[in-house]
């Protein structure tokens, strides 16, 4: 079955371009040593991958289930062949060009028609277009995929094994880094036609690429459109653009490969991140036509806004402050990984559900991490509509990369293609040169291992910013995360909290979460804390001898639990982190809940600290929003889309108005955080109470917190000097906002589920808990 998508024109003219999707009719053949263990052929879905096809056919067990993933490494060395009959694809008529387009091939593919090779790809992150005009009618389309493991191993050998955070060759090739496993994801190394495949038919000329650059100057919206054209025949064409009732057009001479035009919109409504204003979007339509027909059309919704990053020096170090339409924004962010390890399964509905969950937790920025993918259009469209700023990494992560040979050319082509594709989206705010590459080069022993060889610094410092400046001048660029602006010239460490962006991983890996308050980073772009997924998710996916792991003695030390706990020494870190605060329950159900509560407490503690130091600290991006399979991880939402307690803690910690209690060298204080456009004026009431509601001390004062600011207020000694630390709490209220601070750790406090603090209307809880 095929479906046809046609381009239409408001003038109802004849149109000379059609697109036929090649979703069905595919067969998959395993090839090479080990293939005899699988069916000789099976039905394949496109978009899809070999693992999902094998599971659907019953040829392998679901790799997400139990310990199946580790038992399927034998699939790594197989090659794969996709075959489709082309009898339903008609031969071209006179003057017609016919091309097969693959939006994404994962990863090492050779395409042939009736045995004739017509194209190849070695980059999962790029599209491929092959001309088959002279080959139709034809019998068979074949796509052969080479083993990603053997190919990557060979490339790594040729490149002399540049170092990385993991002992896999993900940095030698342009395949999603997390395909080879991560400390929250499985190592499955699948292959397949992971994005749509289509047949495109067109005449005369087509729009090969459309790059709109949208900016606002002196109240005027300016849309500069640059196009690349492909030609099939001779004769002039007309390039036109329409937006908000305004139109511009230009004649394009025969064979001219590039053409540009500009449309202006007076006094456009501005696009804002959520919490700062509305998200108006305007339809931009670009058409290519001759005297008789519309040849091609391109349409996106765009928004008018300006984005900059203030990296100026100040008395604390170097700022990293996002400004949108001239207004400084505190980035209430989360890191995003692919929402399924088998990325072909992530559809528009799943994207939107996840991003609505982010918006509903008061998040205003999503960082697309560099070990994943450039997401589908539906992701960025949802961010446009929901007001979520997008920080998009270029896809380098935790590794050194070769700067020569085929990798260099692939890297640049990939960057150009994806920036051109994404630049239309007003949500796209930051392009970032990679994740922890500069930090790794500086700190992780790479210099000795590399012995002077390249490591990817040129990509981040020169090539990526040049591509950004050319194709997306309205998008801010950052060299890396973390990164200290000017570090190479000044000798400042790339992860210095006083300069630029900062990753805090000492907490979780080595020290207690109370150490989040040791630093006041300028922008915390990664930090986080682990916990298992929801109880029901464990029951669905993890079993021992057919029984859900939740009913198995010693569950957390079983092989199946550890298969879904990828962090090094993860369980030990969970236990050591809980010990001083909640204790370490022996019962698995209690342990499971305590780990989730600890995660919520720890991350909220960090977010509260960062927000209370605005504008010195200008953002926090929690690691991470989501999961790609059922796993113990840093996520706030698990693979089955269930919100962990962390999600609720984020909703509190990122609320537009928030109270934060803290202690320091100068005593106890409460900070009122007001991230709204209106002053926050009310009576601040602070009380020290017993857990049964007895009032021990009280104070009140009229306060006014200006819009988009914080106000720190000292607390009197009587409020913070408990007579019984295990049985008293500090309660602070400002209007509808309320915070409760215990004087003792939760494990030591004399809490009872049957007792309530009558004078406070709600049960006592530790700051940031759910």
């Amino acid at each position: 079955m095929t479906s046809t998508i046609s381009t239409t024109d408001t003038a109802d003219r004849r149109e000379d371009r059609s697109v036929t999707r090649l979703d069905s009719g595919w067969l998959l053949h395993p090839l090479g040593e080990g293939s005899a263990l699988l069916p000789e052929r099976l039905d394949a879905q496109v978009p899809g991958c070999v693992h999902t096809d094998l599971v659907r056919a019953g040829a392998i067990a679901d790799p997400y289930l139990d310990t199946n993933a580790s038992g399927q490494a034998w699939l790594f060395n197989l090659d794969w062949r996709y075959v489709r009959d082309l009898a339903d694809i008609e031969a071209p008529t006179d003057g017609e060009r016919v091309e097969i387009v693959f939006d994404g091939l994962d990863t090492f593919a050779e395409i042939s028609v009736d045995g004739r090779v017509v194209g190849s790809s070695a980059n999962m992150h790029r599209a491929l277009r092959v001309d088959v005009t002279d080959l139709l009618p034809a019998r068979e389309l074949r796509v052969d995929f080479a083993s990603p493991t053997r190919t990557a191993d060979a490339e790594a050998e040729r490149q002399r094994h540049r170092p990385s955070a993991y002992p896999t060759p993900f940095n030698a090739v342009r395949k999603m880094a997390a395909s080879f496993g991560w400390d929250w994801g499985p190592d499955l190394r699948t292959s397949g036609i992971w994005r749509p495949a289509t047949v495109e038919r067109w005449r005369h000329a087509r729009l090969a690429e459309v790059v709109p650059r949208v900016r606002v100057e002196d109240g005027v919206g300016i849309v500069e459109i640059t196009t690349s054209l492909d030609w099939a025949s001779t004769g002039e064409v007309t390039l036109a653009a329409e937006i908000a009732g305004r139109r511009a057009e230009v004649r394009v001479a025969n064979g001219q490969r590039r053409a540009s035009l500009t449309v202006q919109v007076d006094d456009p409504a501005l696009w804002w991140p959520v919490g700062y204003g509305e998200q108006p979007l305007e339809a931009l339509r670009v058409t290519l036509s001759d005297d008789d027909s519309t040849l091609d059309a391109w349409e996106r919704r765009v928004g008018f806004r300006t984005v900059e990053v203030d990296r100026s020096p100040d008395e604390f170090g170097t700022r990293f402050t996002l400004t949108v339409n001239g207004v400084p924004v505190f980035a209430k962010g989360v890191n995003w990984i692919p929402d399924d390890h088998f990325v072909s399964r992530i559809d528009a509905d799943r994207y939107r559900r996840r991003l609505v969950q982010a918006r509903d937790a008061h998040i205003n920025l999503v960082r697309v991490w560099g070990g994943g993918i450039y997401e589908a259009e539906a992701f960025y469209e949802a961010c446009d509509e929901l007001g979520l700023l997008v920080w998009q990494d270029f896809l380098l992560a935790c590794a050194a990369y070769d700067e020569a040979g085929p990798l260099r050319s692939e890297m640049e082509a990939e960057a150009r293609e994806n920036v051109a594709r994404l630049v239309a989206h007003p949500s796209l705010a930051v392009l970032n040169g990679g994740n922890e590459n500069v930090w790794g080069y500086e700190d992780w022993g790479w210099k000795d291992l590399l012995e002077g060889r390249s490591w990817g610094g040129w990509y981040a410092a020169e090539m990526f910013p040049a591509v950004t400046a050319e194709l997306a001048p309205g998008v801010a660029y950052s060299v890396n995360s973390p990164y200290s602006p000017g570090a190479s010239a000044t000798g400042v460490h790339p992860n210095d909290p006083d300069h630029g962006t900062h990753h805090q991983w000492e907490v979780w890996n080595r020290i207690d979460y109370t150490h989040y308050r040791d630093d006041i980073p300028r922008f915390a772009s990664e930090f986080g804390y682990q916990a298992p997924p929801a109880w029901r998710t464990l029951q669905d996916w993890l079993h021992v001898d057919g029984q859900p792991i939740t009913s198995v003695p010693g569950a957390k030390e079983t092989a199946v639990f550890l298969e879904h706990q990828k962090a090094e020494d993860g369980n030990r870190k969970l236990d050591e982190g809980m010990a001083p605060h909640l204790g370490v329950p022996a019962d698995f159900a209690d342990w499971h809940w305590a780990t989730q509560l600890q995660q919520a407490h720890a991350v909220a503690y960090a977010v509260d600290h960062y927000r209370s130091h605005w504008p010195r600290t200008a953002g926090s991006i929690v690691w991470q929003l989501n999961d790609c399979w059922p796993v113990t991880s840093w996520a706030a939402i698990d693979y089955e889309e269930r919100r962990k307690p962390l999600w609720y803690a984020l909703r509190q910690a990122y609320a537009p108005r928030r109270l934060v209690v803290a202690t320091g060298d100068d005593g106890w204080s409460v900070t009122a955080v007001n991230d709204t456009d209106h002053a926050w004026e009310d009576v601040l009431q602070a009380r020290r109470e017993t857990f049964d509601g007895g009032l021990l001390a009280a104070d009140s004062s009229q306060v006014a917190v200006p819009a988009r600011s914080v106000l720190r207020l000292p607390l009197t000694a009587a409020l913070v000097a408990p007579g019984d630390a295990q049985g008293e709490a500090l309660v602070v209220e400002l209007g509808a906002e309320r915070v409760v601070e215990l004087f003792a750790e939760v494990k030591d406090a004399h809490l009872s589920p049957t007792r309530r603090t009558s004078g406070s209307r709600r049960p006592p809880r530790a700051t940031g808990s759910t």
Side-chain angles (χ1 to χ4, degrees), residues 380-552:
Y380 304 94
E381 288 170 354
C383 289
D384 293 343
E385 295 165 3
L386 297 170
L388 297 173
L389 296 167
V390 174
W391 166 317
Q392 173 70 59
D393 280 11
F394 287 100
L395 301 185
L396 290 78
C398 306
Y401 290 81
D402 187 10
E403 294 175 11
L407 197 69
R408 180 185 181 116
S409 58
E410 284 293 343
M411 198 80 76
E412 180 165 6
E414 169 193 317
R416 297 185 67 85
E417 179 177 322
N418 284 282
V419 172
R421 177 171 71 89
L422 302 182
V423 68
H425 295 282
S427 56
L428 184 63
V430 177
L431 286 165
N432 176 61
N435 179 73
E436 297 185 352
N437 309 106
V438 176
W439 185 15
Y441 179 71
E442 189 64 35
D443 260 8
W444 300 349
W446 294 1
K447 294 178 182 179
D448 291 338
L449 294 171
L450 286 165
E451 298 178 328
R453 289 177 292 148
S454 62
W455 57 277
W458 178 81
Y459 298 133
E462 298 188 43
M463 190 262 278
F464 292 154
V467 170
T468 302
E470 177 189 348
L471 298 176
V475 176
Y477 179 77
S478 177
V479 170
N480 234 242
S481 183
Y483 186 70
S484 298
S488 58
T490 62
V492 175
H493 191 278
N495 199 32
D496 189 319
D498 293 331
H499 301 271
T501 54
H502 177 66
H503 291 191
Q504 170 51 280
W505 286 116
E506 288 299 299
V507 173
W508 167 249
N509 280 316
R510 279 170 281 277
I511 58 178
D512 188 72
Y513 76 72
T514 56
H515 288 280
Y516 277 125
R517 290 186 176 174
D518 290 352
D519 298 310
I520 306 174
R522 308 316 305 270
F523 192 109
S525 50
E526 264 193 34
F527 61 98
Y529 213 91
Q530 254 205 356
W535 189 256
R536 176 57 187 272
T537 303
L538 288 177
Q539 290 179 320
D540 288 346
W541 292 98
L542 279 66
H543 308 83
V544 176
D545 296 328
Q547 296 299 311
I549 194 170
T550 52
S551 62
V552 174

Side-chain angles (χ1 to χ4, degrees), residues 330 332 359-363 607-608 611 647-660 672-676 680 708 737-738:
F330 184 91
K332 297 186 283 189
R359 189 273 316 272
D360 289 349
H362 304 298
I363 286 158
V607 171
D608 279 343
R611 290 192 72 193
W647 182 89
Y648 296 92
L650 286 177
R651 186 175 62 174
Q652 288 183 336
Y654 276 151
R657 289 177 172 172
R658 176 75 168 160
L659 296 174
V660 179
V673 180
N674 180 19
D675 191 20
T676 75
W680 188 7
R708 308 291 180 192
E737 300 305 311
R738 179 175 182 271

Side-chain angles (χ1 to χ4, degrees), residues 67 532 538 542-544 549-550 552-565 567-576 578 584-588 591-592 595 632:
T67 58
L538 288 177
L542 279 66
H543 308 83
V544 176
I549 194 170
T550 52
V552 174
K556 71 175 183 176
E557 302 304 329
T558 61
V560 66
F561 190 88
L562 296 176
E563 176 94 353
H564 295 254
Q565 162 60 288
E568 183 180 3
D569 253 354
N571 284 356
R572 178 188 61 79
K573 292 173 183 178
L574 286 170
D575 288 352
E576 289 185 356
M578 286 191 296
V584 184
D587 177 76
F588 182 67
W591 181 86
H592 172 268
T595 59
T632 297

